[in-house]
Amino acid sequence: MTEQDRLFEEATDLIIRLRNDPTSPVALEMISQWRARSLDHEAAWFEASEIFGLAGNALKRSRADAKRRSGPSRRSVLIGFGVGVAAFAVGREALPWAIIQARADYVTGTAEIAHRTLPDGSRMTLGPDSAVALSFSPTQRRVDLLAGMSYFDVVAGNDAPPMHIEAQNVAATCGNGSFDISIDGPTVSLGVDRGVIHVGVPQSPTHFADELAAGRWMALTNGADNIAQGVRDTSEIAAWRDGRIVADQETVAAIVIRIARWLPGRVVLADPAISNRRVNGVFDLTQPLAALEAVVHPFGGKVRQISPFLTVITPI
């Protein structure tokens, strides 16, 4: 048994003890002391409490612990608080991953980029931790981006309908062109490399619709509630295919989610104060931890890798 497995079993035993007597001061104190031993103990507690649905209780105990402890262990409490209630936990978003896999025709893993030819001859480059479902017929060319990010090189066909891409509540339509699209939490980002794509949010009260030509990008948050857009060199569209993330006035939260696809496990942004700050820059995906640090450090964030499968961004 590995040390990580042993700590997980200990955390599970503590959770069972707590469930048997939720108000026991002895159990609460035992858990508090156990979690304070190290960051590995804290990470094991988070993993176990998430599985057993105790994230809310973890928050309450972290707050209580913070009042009782100071010094080095307070750092563990800070991280535990962030892990318990994080502004968001970055991972495979939108639907439980098992449901996504059941629906998907193509799926990728962490840091995996896959190139696929679609039934009509169009090309698709699927980014890491991503999934798509296809629906092709003589009268329909449709791809549902269920999670993650993808780049499409759409070819025109004889009497073929335009390609229709759905990502959350955003729809992109293209007859002949190249573009990328990414689901980053509540934000859907698009960038056009070639041709013109039609972007719409059919379910929005305003029935938002627009056209993007080559070089234009757009980020839509919560449908059409918050829209950012601009122009960049086409060489920067879907730069993740070449190991770079290009940010142009995009939110810290969205860029963190994007970079996190190159890291195993979960990345937790435990500092909600910086989530909506806007960031510019080019970030190297060959060193994703350093890339995360470059994104959040200017806003007072610190990247802490608690375990191989848990990375937490906390206030410095």
Side-chain angles (χ1 to χ4, degrees):
M1 178 185 295
T2 66
E3 178 67 7
Q4 187 176 12
D5 290 339
R6 183 183 68 79
L7 290 177
F8 182 83
E9 285 194 1
E10 290 182 6
T12 300
D13 288 340
L14 289 170
I15 287 173
I16 293 172
R17 179 188 291 266
L18 182 62
R19 280 192 161 180
N20 289 336
D21 191 356
T23 62
S24 168
V26 175
L28 291 172
E29 183 60 28
M30 185 181 298
I31 291 168
S32 174
Q33 292 180 4
W34 187 88
R35 292 174 61 190
R37 289 182 186 177
S38 72
L39 294 181
D40 288 336
H41 283 73
E42 189 66 78
W45 174 260
F46 165 68
E47 292 168 358
S49 64
E50 184 178 50
I51 289 172
F52 285 88
L54 294 180
N57 290 332
L59 166 61
K60 293 175 184 177
R61 284 190 293 280
S62 292
R63 283 175 170 165
D65 293 346
K67 294 179 181 178
R68 291 198 300 269
R69 300 202 298 260
S70 60
S73 62
R74 189 175 184 276
R75 178 169 175 265
S76 298
V77 175
L78 175 63
I79 294 173
F81 173 81
V83 169
V85 297
F88 60 83
V90 176
R92 299 178 173 113
E93 57 270 35
L95 291 170
W97 192 245
I99 297 177
I100 288 177
Q101 286 182 308
R103 290 183 57 191
D105 291 293
Y106 295 113
V107 176
T108 55
T110 301
E112 178 188 2
I113 293 177
H115 304 278
R116 298 287 184 265
T117 299
L118 300 178
D120 66 338
S122 298
R123 295 284 296 172
M124 175 181 70
T125 303
L126 198 58
D129 277 352
S130 301
V132 295
L134 308 182
S135 181
F136 279 71
S137 71
T139 60
Q140 177 176 251
R141 293 194 292 172
R142 173 172 174 150
V143 179
D144 286 283
L145 181 63
L146 305 175
M149 62 210 300
S150 188
Y151 175 86
F152 295 94
D153 187 7
V154 180
V155 298
N158 294 331
D159 299 323
M163 176 89 71
H164 185 77
I165 314 293
E166 290 273 352
Q168 289 186 352
N169 49 10
V170 175
T173 305
C174 177
N176 183 15
S178 303
F179 64 99
D180 83 325
I181 183 167
S182 179
I183 299 174
D184 307 312
T187 300
V188 176
S189 303
L190 308 99
V192 183
D193 187 4
R194 176 179 63 87
V196 175
I197 66 170
H198 302 267
V199 179
V201 185
Q203 296 178 356
S204 69
T206 60
H207 300 289
F208 172 83
D210 199 358
E211 287 188 353
L212 302 182
R216 284 194 63 193
W217 64 269
M218 179 177 288
L220 303 95
T221 302
N222 295 321
D225 289 352
N226 190 331
I227 299 173
Q229 56 186 314
V231 178
R232 60 171 58 123
D233 192 280
T234 54
S235 64
E236 297 178 343
I237 302 296
W240 50 266
R241 295 173 299 162
D242 301 317
R244 296 174 294 128
I245 289 288
V246 178
D248 185 1
Q249 284 299 304
E250 295 184 71
T251 66
V252 167
I255 299 303
V256 166
I257 290 174
R258 229 169 286 169
I259 294 172
R261 295 181 182 125
W262 275 259
L263 284 167
R266 306 190 80 183
V267 176
V268 174
L269 180 53
D271 187 1
I274 69 173
S275 297
N276 293 320
R277 301 292 295 272
R278 298 283 172 173
V279 62
N280 296 297
V282 179
F283 304 98
D284 183 2
L285 292 171
T286 64
Q287 301 181 59
L289 282 175
L292 283 179
E293 188 73 37
V295 170
V296 303
H297 186 269
F299 306 107
K302 174 68 176 178
V303 178
R304 308 175 193 273
Q305 193 165 34
I306 295 177
S307 78
F309 302 102
L310 178 61
T311 301
V312 180
I313 300 170
T314 65
I316 292 176

